[in-house]
Amino acid sequence: SSALITTALLFGFASIAEGLAQPSIDPLIAPEERERLLDYRARRMAGLPVPDRFEFRGLRRDGSPLWLDCVASVVPWEGAPAVLLGLLDITARRNAEEALRANERMLQTLFDTLPYVVVVKDAEGRYRMVNRAWCERYGLTPQSAIGLHTLEGPTRPAEQSAKVWAEEQEILSGA
């Protein structure tokens, strides 16, 4: 079937027969994932609760890694229960997510090393990012500042907060 061909190719086997000749799929599971996935399989076969859908890191036949989204269920097979897996290669998505996280870490590092007060706010005037200099100036942590509105923000006179909010609105309106 096309599903078997796709799975064989996904793991780098030249044919369905080569893939089916493997005594176990365990070598296709990354070492750091084996304990978790073997536990899932044992619990699933025992009828115990286990996630039906999960992601894991696998290994192609040549040892190169890939990320898989897996849907698993127990089905009857030749008179006995068996685990049926649906696999989707999500390697590109996971690599893109990791690249995004790396870029976010780099931006945060740059943001925090600036000696000037810098913030990022959304269109509604809520703080989305504050740098270390801002936190030191106003005595707040990033966690306590994120989500605050300009009018709720750092301790300053109400009229100064209102003036800042009016200036932000003017900037956002393009005037």
Side-chain angles (χ1 to χ4, degrees):
S1 84
S2 64
L4 287 174
I5 293 170
T6 302
T7 303
L9 294 175
L10 182 70
F11 285 102
F13 294 105
S15 68
I16 295 172
E18 184 183 3
L20 290 174
Q22 303 307 304
S24 168
I25 66 162
D26 295 353
L28 302 176
I29 301 170
E32 68 274 10
E33 298 278 16
R34 284 192 185 125
E35 183 178 337
R36 176 175 68 109
L37 297 186
L38 293 174
D39 178 61
Y40 281 4
R41 181 170 57 199
R43 290 174 45 207
R44 182 172 281 107
M45 294 302 287
L48 298 172
V50 64
D52 293 330
R53 187 172 189 167
F54 52 92
E55 295 179 0
F56 73 96
R57 193 163 164 250
L59 296 172
R60 292 185 180 92
R61 188 182 72 167
D62 66 4
S64 62
L66 75 158
W67 279 98
L68 298 159
D69 183 11
C70 180
V71 178
S73 60
V74 176
V75 298
W77 181 264
E78 298 180 352
V83 177
L84 176 66
L85 302 176
L87 300 172
L88 177 64
D89 184 350
I90 58 168
T91 305
R93 187 195 86 202
R94 289 294 295 250
N95 289 344
E97 289 170 351
E98 179 51 38
L100 178 61
R101 282 190 295 275
N103 283 336
E104 287 171 345
R105 286 189 301 271
M106 181 183 66
L107 173 62
Q108 189 66 52
T109 299
L110 174 64
F111 197 67
D112 280 338
T113 57
L114 292 171
Y116 307 103
V117 170
V118 181
V119 300
V120 175
K121 294 183 182 179
D122 63 20
E124 286 78 39
R126 299 211 175 272
Y127 291 93
R128 293 296 165 220
M129 289 179 73
V130 294
N131 74 346
R132 185 175 297 136
W134 186 94
C135 291
E136 289 169 2
R137 179 172 182 180
Y138 293 107
L140 296 172
T141 65
Q143 296 79 11
S144 64
I146 302 305
L148 289 178
H149 191 276
T150 299
L151 297 173
E152 307 166 325
T155 54
R156 58 181 168 216
E159 51 286 340
Q160 185 183 5
S161 291
K163 181 180 178 198
V164 169
W165 176 236
E167 289 170 355
E168 290 173 358
Q169 290 302 104
E170 186 177 331
I171 290 167
L172 289 171
S173 71

